[in-house]
Amino acid sequence: MSTKNWPLWEVFVRSKNGLEHRHCGSLHAADEEMALENARDVYTRRSEGVSIWVVESKHITASNPEHNGELFEPAQDKVYRHPTFYDLPDEVKHM
Amino acid sequence: MKNETLYKYILGIADNSLILGQRLGELTGHGPSLETDIACTNMSLDLFGQVRSYFQYAAKIAGDDRTEDTIAMLRKERDYVNVLLVEQPNRNFAYTMARQFLFDVYHLLFLQELQKSKDLTLAAIANKSIKEVRYHLRFSSDWVKRLGDGTTESHQKMQDAMDGLWTYTDELFHQTEADKAMVHEGIGVDVTALKETYYKKVNEILSEATLEIPESKYFQKGGKQGIHTEYMGYLLAELQYMQRAYPNMEW
């Protein structure tokens, strides 16, 4: 098998009761249809009511860990930037 | 046995899944890619799951000391009534996918009808299995198209596979005595009525896959009567070895 024609795909799955798609791994496939089928076999065991997203890895742009300082740290030392001072009623889940 | 005809009828359905499952299982670790390997094993497991449901039901009907295991493992070649198509060897991936496709189209049509059976257990098994078989057909027809419409070499291999297996397709629509009796009682599926739709569906996919529809005037038959091709004995020798060597063991 030549991996040249079998690019890497990232797989995101939303489980039956899940709220959002989570990244659960990657796999090789020749195109998006095959990627979906493979993802269904490898990652979902065909549970019903799940949603699968596949995206070819080359389409994902990742942030550079070297830039963590300027990207993420400034927000952390200013508490007023985070909405942490509200009391949430129990009925509101998943905030 | 009170209902021997129903028992025989169930074996006629289940043996197909058992033998095809065994063939697919042989490929574990030998698929062309990790992903296809997992898919073939998955389909094999689906088929074995179906077989268990059928054989458990058959054992109940038999009402003696037979179990799902003895029905699967201790019959001789002549007692297996699967169609010849499913016992054909894997040869190469095109051959495996062609065999799968030619059976899946039939299997789906068959289960759609079996869901309407007056026998509620059979209808329930059909209802459970049909979801799996829809996936099998999706997978196999996808590969027939990929290989048929792929490279010159893959096209040739898929065409050879179809030409080689075509002779086993007509048997799918032959009725055994048990079939006829069960159709009469509203339990069984009239397979003769599926033939036209089957070839229409198969021809559609073959055209999409840029493959020639094989022409054959002669068709092989015999599996449903227990008369098998030369591959079957070897398959069973491997499948049954452990049970034959250590009878009545618990596992």
Side-chain angles (χ1 to χ4, degrees):
Chain A
M1 183 188 91
S2 134
T3 45
K4 195 177 147 213
N5 298 322
W6 286 63
L8 193 65
W9 298 75
E10 301 299 327
V11 181
F12 299 81
V13 171
R14 183 168 63 77
S15 61
K16 206 170 177 182
N17 300 312
L19 286 166
E20 71 285 284
H21 288 76
R22 284 169 193 265
H23 181 238
C24 58
S26 46
L27 50 78
H28 288 280
D31 60 30
E32 61 269 22
E33 272 302 304
M34 196 191 287
L36 264 185
E37 281 177 10
N38 294 344
R40 169 269 201 191
D41 281 336
V42 179
Y43 292 113
T44 71
R45 297 274 148 209
R46 284 172 299 164
S47 331
E48 281 154 275
V50 299
S51 161
I52 306 173
W53 289 347
V54 289
V55 58
E56 205 179 327
S57 303
K58 70 176 181 193
H59 296 305
I60 293 178
T61 311
S63 61
N64 187 338
E66 278 175 25
H67 301 153
N68 273 1
E70 67 240 47
L71 282 176
F72 308 114
E73 273 165 26
Q76 279 164 12
D77 53 10
K78 301 186 183 72
V79 285
Y80 53 84
R81 284 189 167 216
H82 306 285
T84 52
F85 301 105
Y86 299 97
D87 287 325
L88 278 179
D90 290 340
E91 289 78 31
V92 183
K93 291 169 184 144
H94 306 298
M95 273 289 278
Chain B
M1 199 191 308
K2 259 193 299 182
N3 205 339
E4 191 149 5
T5 321
L6 179 58
Y7 178 82
K8 278 187 186 160
Y9 183 70
I10 296 170
L11 295 195
I13 307 171
D15 282 353
N16 289 336
S17 296
L18 173 70
I19 302 302
L20 188 58
Q22 174 72 5
R23 278 289 184 228
L24 284 173
E26 288 170 9
L27 287 171
T28 309
H30 299 277
S33 71
L34 184 60
E35 287 82 2
T36 39
D37 198 88
I38 294 171
C40 286
T41 315
N42 238 327
M43 293 195 288
S44 174
L45 288 172
D46 286 344
L47 292 166
F48 284 138
Q50 297 168 13
V51 171
R52 290 197 62 195
S53 309
Y54 288 124
F55 282 173
Q56 280 164 4
Y57 184 40
K60 213 172 101 188
I61 290 166
D64 46 24
D65 52 0
R66 255 174 278 197
T67 65
E68 50 175 311
D69 285 333
T70 59
I71 298 175
M73 298 291 183
L74 294 178
R75 277 180 296 152
K76 294 191 177 127
E77 184 179 343
R78 288 296 296 263
D79 302 322
Y80 282 83
V81 286
N82 55 281
V83 291
L84 300 175
L85 176 67
V86 296
E87 71 199 42
Q88 299 310 304
N90 292 315
R91 295 184 201 272
N92 59 35
F93 190 62
Y95 220 85
T96 303
M97 283 301 112
R99 183 188 62 209
Q100 192 63 36
F101 168 71
L102 290 172
F103 185 72
D104 289 342
V105 176
Y106 163 80
H107 204 183
L108 185 61
L109 292 173
F110 179 83
L111 291 178
Q112 272 167 355
E113 292 304 310
L114 190 65
Q115 280 183 310
K116 302 173 196 160
S117 172
K118 272 189 192 164
D119 184 307
L120 294 181
T121 310
L122 283 183
I125 299 173
N127 187 265
K128 182 169 170 275
S129 313
I130 200 163
K131 291 181 231 163
E132 299 167 346
V133 173
R134 270 203 196 97
Y135 177 77
H136 299 178
L137 179 59
R138 179 186 156 129
F139 185 85
S140 61
S141 50
D142 211 40
W143 275 102
V144 168
K145 287 186 257 179
R146 278 177 199 282
L147 296 177
D149 196 14
T151 65
T152 323
E153 191 185 347
S154 77
H155 175 89
Q156 193 52 49
K157 283 188 173 171
M158 186 45 87
Q159 185 69 58
D160 290 347
M162 284 295 172
D163 292 346
L165 291 167
W166 199 255
T167 183
Y168 301 108
T169 53
D170 194 63
E171 191 195 12
L172 294 165
F173 310 102
H174 293 191
Q175 278 185 320
T176 62
E177 290 308 312
D179 285 349
K180 284 179 197 159
M182 286 299 113
V183 172
H184 188 69
E185 286 188 38
I187 291 174
V189 175
D190 181 6
V191 284
T192 55
L194 305 177
K195 190 169 173 174
E196 198 180 322
T197 326
Y198 174 84
Y199 282 109
K200 195 167 157 264
K201 175 82 188 162
V202 167
N203 292 352
E204 252 171 48
I205 302 280
L206 291 192
S207 314
E208 243 186 281
T210 71
L211 294 162
E212 299 277 330
I213 294 154
E215 273 181 45
S216 172
K217 290 203 173 57
Y218 178 72
F219 289 100
Q220 293 278 2
K221 57 178 190 294
K224 289 182 176 181
Q225 281 72 42
I227 302 163
H228 292 279
T229 54
E230 64 270 36
Y231 307 109
M232 186 68 173
Y234 294 102
L235 185 150
L236 290 181
E238 194 175 17
L239 176 75
Q240 299 181 336
Y241 169 77
M242 203 62 133
Q243 280 293 333
R244 299 278 182 203
Y246 304 98
N248 304 319
M249 61 169 178
E250 283 189 31
W251 59 290

